[in-house]
Amino acid sequence: MAKRHDYLNMNKNLKQAAILPLFLLGISSLSNAQSIDPMVSHIDLTETPGHDFFLYANGKWFKQNPIPASETSNGIFQIIQDTINAQIHDVCVSSAKMKNSVKGSARQKIGDLFLTGMDSVSLNRMGITPLKADLARINQVANINQLMTTAAYLRTIGASSMYGLAVGQDDKISSKHAVFIGQGGLSLPDREYYFATDARAAKVREAFLTYARKMFGLMGYSEVQAKSAADEVMKLETALAKVSRKREDTRDPLLNYNKMTFAKVASENPSLELQQSLAIVGLPKVDTVIVGQPEFVTALNGYIKTMPLSAWKSYLKLRLMSAYSDYLDDKTFKIAFEYSSALRGTTEPRPRWKRVTDEVDGSLGDLVGQVYVKDYLPKGTKEKLMEIGTEIKKVYAERIKNLDWMSPETKIKALHKLDVMIMKVGYPDKWKDMSKLQIDKSSYAANMKRVAQWHYNYMISKYGKPVDRTEWDMQPQTYNAYYNPSNNEIVVPGCNIIVPGYERKMADDAILYSIIGGSTFGHEMTHGFDDQGAKYDSNGNLSNWWTPQDSTKFFSKTKMIVAQFNKYIAVDSLHVNGEMTQGENIADLGGVAMGYEAFKKTAQYRNNQVIGGLNPDKRFFLGYGMAWMVNIRPEALANQIRSDVHSPAKFRINGPLSDIDAFYKIFDIKPGDAMWIPEDQRVKIW
């Protein structure tokens, strides 16, 4: 995945006075350039490119735009998301005002879901009443069988627990769907939070215990009972965390692919009550199961028997309350927000309209998307996205042909994989059928429960059916992109065409080829050949199609990028995890290299067109800096380092650019500059 992740500030202890003359920047008059070009106005001339290109390209914008109290970060993603949210909010409001909308229509569902979410009077009057029947069901659990079947039911309404269960493409037979079981069920963002000894992790654990005690208090527990229940849940989850693989160890698809007969998994783990549990979620007849982490499943089977039933019941209640805290009264929401503040660093919640708009979009994305495409997506979006993607693809093919580390036989297979790689851009040709989803004006929680059930049933219903390779897993209004190795496809939603400051017109190619070409298309294509994507063939099947020599040479290069990123300090004493983030770092490096080569073929580059006082070379790399113009709170940054496979934004700029030879020449990077890496140590993969 290319986008939407968060960032930091690095210690600047030198060169404050070493401001480059304007003529070295290719800017004849900064004030004049600012008046005509938004990107130039972001440049911070108190920084130098070789010291910290992230701050050089974006620092002035950061100084002028502090992070709002309700947000974890501020930058390009927030600007674009605010633009999209305002448009979706208009769709929600106009839908809610329609007096004669047809029952079951997209507008009726969008309007009613928005209305129930905005009705704080009704929400506060009901309190946690919408969950009382489900809480009572958990209270009545008297044995392991009832525990597991209740947990299975809660999974269908969005309150998953204990372990992960999903239906998806079989990694080795990409034309078929399979049932996956693996580790899961943790409330904290990552297993490391349960064991880390630093102050930030300790603060998060304490915040979680406080949150749990208050939630149990809402459910009627006395203070003593609430503390005991919270302690039980923490003990239980710590045990689950102990047998969970580290995030970096879950990246390898081969090591996390263990296909077994259902009968074997069920018989070896009787406490999971799999036959009955899967029947409840809509999977009554399963022949095989792909178990991601068998040791976790085995340990869980034991914990179900040895941990007190009371602890498991408290755990299920808390998981249910956590899943629905955003859809209940203000008191419940406030308790959840206080806990999230420890993770995100925000000091006040986002306005209700923003929260509800997000939920409507996330819940009814395909319905909202149909309106968004018609009313808001710029004309020519699909064509421009396809143009950029096609040009990046051509560059990638040439680079594969010229690789000095890949054998001729593997190059043939790599070129074929690239050639058949599908590019889905803009919006889908067909939308998901959400006609069976009922939305009304009864209550927000009731609507969201039906939403959860619809989405879960949609996923489960795929089992036994052929894989639909035309399906999208994102909406056109989602500012993100992804590569799906099982389909060998790139998906780039239409809103990626938006560039802040250029809303009323298409940005120039230097910017489009850096942001969309480099950080999106180039990035996602490279995922097909990164340390894990390289394990999938052109049909999306998990298979070894590289020669042993190719793999050896390739992984010697990936070790270099792991070592490079391990050195970066993100916040406090927390380093970037080079092993966990290597796939994204490889994609970032490949992406910016491909984007630059593709841009050099455009008329803007060939004609040496100067825009905003910048020549094409400088404009491209500053555009790439703008692609990750994100400032993030230290609390959220610490969370990202522990739980996210993406590096912080600063290092998504400074890291790959430090490996690009052309960057050194264009911005006159010299030995002694903080970003300087000796030429023989720069990572060259694609």
Side-chain angles (χ1 to χ4, degrees):
M1 185 116 1
K3 300 186 190 285
R4 315 330 142 232
H5 296 280
D6 291 338
Y7 304 60
L8 77 120
N9 277 312
M10 198 162 142
N11 180 32
K12 54 177 195 212
N13 54 10
L14 53 97
K15 296 191 180 175
Q16 278 290 345
I19 301 174
L20 289 181
L22 295 182
F23 72 87
L24 288 180
L25 301 173
I27 302 174
S28 57
S29 170
L30 184 60
S31 60
N32 181 55
Q34 284 177 329
S35 68
I36 62 171
D37 190 75
M39 186 178 69
V40 173
S41 69
H42 301 166
I43 297 173
D44 185 351
L45 293 179
T46 66
E47 296 286 346
T48 58
H51 172 54
D52 188 335
F53 195 76
F54 170 72
L55 287 180
Y56 170 74
N58 303 308
K60 190 170 183 181
W61 191 92
F62 292 151
K63 292 173 182 176
Q64 295 172 344
N65 298 273
I67 302 171
S70 61
E71 304 296 341
T72 60
S73 64
N74 201 15
I76 185 170
F77 306 146
Q78 191 65 47
I79 298 169
I80 292 175
Q81 198 58 59
D82 283 347
T83 300
I84 295 169
N85 282 351
Q87 294 167 338
I88 296 172
H89 181 244
D90 287 345
V91 173
C92 291
V93 171
S94 61
S95 298
K97 289 180 177 178
M98 287 184 176
K99 299 190 181 296
N100 300 311
S101 57
V102 178
K103 186 175 181 180
S105 67
R107 287 287 192 172
Q108 178 265 312
K109 291 175 182 178
I110 292 169
D112 285 358
L113 184 58
F114 182 73
L115 278 174
T116 56
M118 291 299 295
D119 187 1
S120 59
V121 174
S122 295
L123 290 173
N124 288 329
R125 184 180 67 248
M126 288 187 283
I128 68 168
T129 301
L131 298 185
K132 283 201 169 175
D134 293 326
L135 291 170
R137 178 170 178 166
I138 298 171
N139 267 332
Q140 291 165 7
V141 168
N143 53 51
I144 288 176
N145 177 268
Q146 292 176 2
L147 174 71
M148 299 311 295
T149 54
T150 299
Y153 156 72
L154 293 174
R155 189 182 297 277
T156 68
I157 62 170
S160 61
S161 60
M162 298 190 182
Y163 60 92
L165 173 67
V167 169
Q169 282 176 274
D170 188 322
D171 290 278
K172 292 189 175 181
I173 313 174
S174 63
S175 61
K176 292 186 177 181
H177 288 108
V179 174
F180 291 80
I181 290 178
Q183 66 189 46
L186 301 180
S187 298
L188 300 184
D190 188 80
R191 71 177 298 281
E192 297 304 308
Y193 274 100
Y194 294 86
F195 310 112
T197 58
D198 62 281
R200 288 192 188 277
K203 179 182 176 182
V204 169
R205 287 194 296 271
E206 186 54 44
F208 175 70
L209 283 170
T210 300
Y211 160 76
R213 289 194 292 268
K214 290 183 177 180
M215 282 294 191
F216 286 122
L218 290 180
M219 291 182 261
Y221 286 52
S222 69
E223 191 172 328
V224 173
Q225 290 172 327
K227 183 181 184 307
S228 176
D231 290 342
E232 277 190 319
V233 171
M234 178 60 91
K235 181 179 178 181
L236 189 157
E237 291 201 15
T238 303
L240 292 179
K242 188 175 182 180
V243 295
S244 297
R245 291 183 186 176
K246 292 183 178 180
R247 193 172 294 262
E248 54 265 40
D249 295 331
T250 64
R251 294 184 64 250
D252 190 326
L254 287 168
L255 295 179
N256 292 275
Y257 183 100
N258 303 279
K259 184 177 281 190
M260 307 176 187
T261 65
F262 175 78
K264 176 179 172 64
V265 178
S267 64
E268 291 182 353
N269 302 281
S271 295
L272 269 60
E273 299 284 359
L274 285 176
Q275 185 71 59
Q276 199 168 350
S277 294
L278 265 64
I280 287 172
V281 302
L283 293 168
K285 295 180 180 179
V286 175
D287 51 3
T288 58
V289 178
I290 298 172
V291 182
Q293 302 77 33
E295 71 279 9
F296 176 89
V297 176
T298 299
L300 174 62
N301 179 70
Y303 290 150
I304 290 168
K305 292 182 291 186
T306 57
M307 295 278 189
L309 189 62
S310 61
W312 283 113
K313 290 167 68 172
S314 295
Y315 168 75
L316 291 185
K317 290 177 186 177
L318 188 61
R319 296 290 288 182
L320 176 64
M321 290 288 287
S322 297
Y324 281 82
S325 60
D326 284 352
Y327 319 134
L328 299 170
D329 59 302
D330 289 340
K331 187 175 182 181
T332 305
F333 172 79
K334 182 181 178 184
I335 293 171
F337 174 76
E338 289 170 351
Y339 165 54
S340 72
S341 293
L343 286 170
R344 304 169 70 238
T346 50
T347 56
E348 63 182 49
R350 299 169 72 221
R352 180 181 291 276
W353 75 263
K354 286 189 175 182
R355 305 196 313 262
V356 177
T357 297
D358 277 354
E359 292 294 349
V360 173
D361 186 34
S363 302
L364 308 177
D366 273 51
L367 301 184
V368 173
Q370 294 173 53
V371 180
Y372 180 83
V373 166
K374 179 176 175 290
D375 294 348
Y376 297 104
L377 206 58
K379 293 211 177 343
T381 291
K382 259 199 175 191
E383 292 78 7
K384 189 62 179 180
L385 291 175
M386 188 58 76
E387 171 210 310
I388 296 172
T390 300
E391 292 304 312
I392 297 290
K393 212 174 188 182
K394 290 177 184 177
V395 167
Y396 213 146
E398 290 304 311
R399 293 178 83 93
I400 289 174
K401 292 174 186 176
N402 294 322
L403 290 175
D404 60 2
W405 57 266
M406 185 180 281
S407 65
E409 58 191 287
T410 303
K411 284 183 180 180
I412 292 172
K413 295 176 181 177
L415 287 167
H416 176 66
K417 180 174 183 178
L418 179 68
D419 184 55
V420 300
M421 188 178 285
I422 299 166
M423 292 193 297
K424 298 176 180 176
V425 303
Y427 47 88
D429 294 324
K430 64 177 182 179
W431 303 91
K432 293 181 178 68
D433 180 3
M434 304 187 78
S435 59
K436 292 183 179 179
L437 171 60
Q438 179 187 342
I439 300 292
D440 57 31
K441 297 177 181 177
S442 58
S443 86
Y444 194 27
N447 279 332
M448 293 306 295
K449 180 183 288 189
R450 288 190 289 269
V451 164
Q453 288 172 320
W454 185 91
H455 282 282
Y456 198 83
N457 291 337
Y458 180 82
M459 175 187 68
I460 294 298
S461 69
K462 295 179 181 180
Y463 186 69
K465 297 177 183 176
V467 169
D468 179 4
R469 293 184 185 264
T470 68
E471 182 180 6
W472 282 51
D473 287 328
M474 279 183 183
Q475 281 73 44
Q477 70 275 20
T478 304
Y479 187 58
N480 211 327
Y482 66 88
Y483 173 75
N484 175 5
S486 293
N487 275 357
N488 190 26
E489 67 177 6
I490 297 167
V491 179
V492 181
C495 66
N496 280 270
I497 204 72
I498 300 172
V499 178
Y502 304 86
E503 288 85 358
R504 292 179 178 83
K505 61 179 181 178
M506 203 81 81
D508 60 281
D509 279 342
I511 294 176
L512 294 180
Y513 273 77
S514 57
I515 296 179
I516 300 174
S519 74
T520 307
F521 277 107
H523 176 106
E524 300 303 340
M525 281 184 197
T526 305
H527 273 316
F529 305 91
D530 64 16
D531 64 311
Q532 303 307 325
K535 296 174 182 177
Y536 291 84
D537 64 21
S538 61
N539 293 316
N541 293 318
L542 193 57
S543 64
N544 185 8
W545 55 279
W546 296 49
T547 68
Q549 293 80 9
D550 291 322
S551 296
T552 299
K553 292 177 181 178
F554 178 71
F555 286 109
S556 69
K557 290 178 176 291
T558 64
K559 286 179 182 177
M560 290 178 65
I561 206 164
V562 169
Q564 176 185 344
F565 278 79
N566 276 339
K567 294 176 183 177
Y568 295 138
I569 298 176
V571 63
D572 301 332
S573 60
L574 289 176
H575 284 247
V576 175
N577 185 331
E579 184 72 32
M580 184 171 78
T581 60
Q582 67 170 299
E584 298 298 331
N585 299 333
I586 293 168
D588 283 339
L589 176 56
V592 67
M594 306 299 166
Y596 182 53
E597 288 303 312
F599 171 59
K600 286 161 73 174
K601 299 178 186 299
T602 66
Q604 180 180 346
Y605 189 88
R606 294 195 311 270
N607 297 332
N608 195 29
Q609 184 181 359
V610 174
I611 301 176
L614 296 168
N615 67 31
D617 288 309
K618 287 187 172 71
R619 194 163 178 82
F620 174 87
F621 285 106
L622 284 163
Y624 185 75
M626 188 181 182
W628 302 111
M629 185 182 74
V630 182
N631 192 19
I632 183 174
R633 295 184 186 281
E635 296 87 350
L637 182 56
N639 181 34
Q640 181 187 352
I641 290 297
R642 286 198 166 96
S643 61
D644 197 333
V645 297
H646 299 79
S647 295
K650 169 173 277 194
F651 303 120
R652 298 192 74 168
I653 296 174
N654 293 356
L657 293 189
S658 295
D659 292 313
I660 302 291
D661 292 339
F663 173 74
Y664 283 73
K665 182 178 179 181
I666 293 164
F667 287 96
D668 195 28
I669 313 299
K670 293 183 170 62
D673 288 341
M675 287 181 61
W676 171 273
I677 296 177
E679 190 169 355
D680 62 346
Q681 295 177 32
R682 294 172 199 165
V683 183
K684 301 284 187 296
I685 300 178
W686 298 107

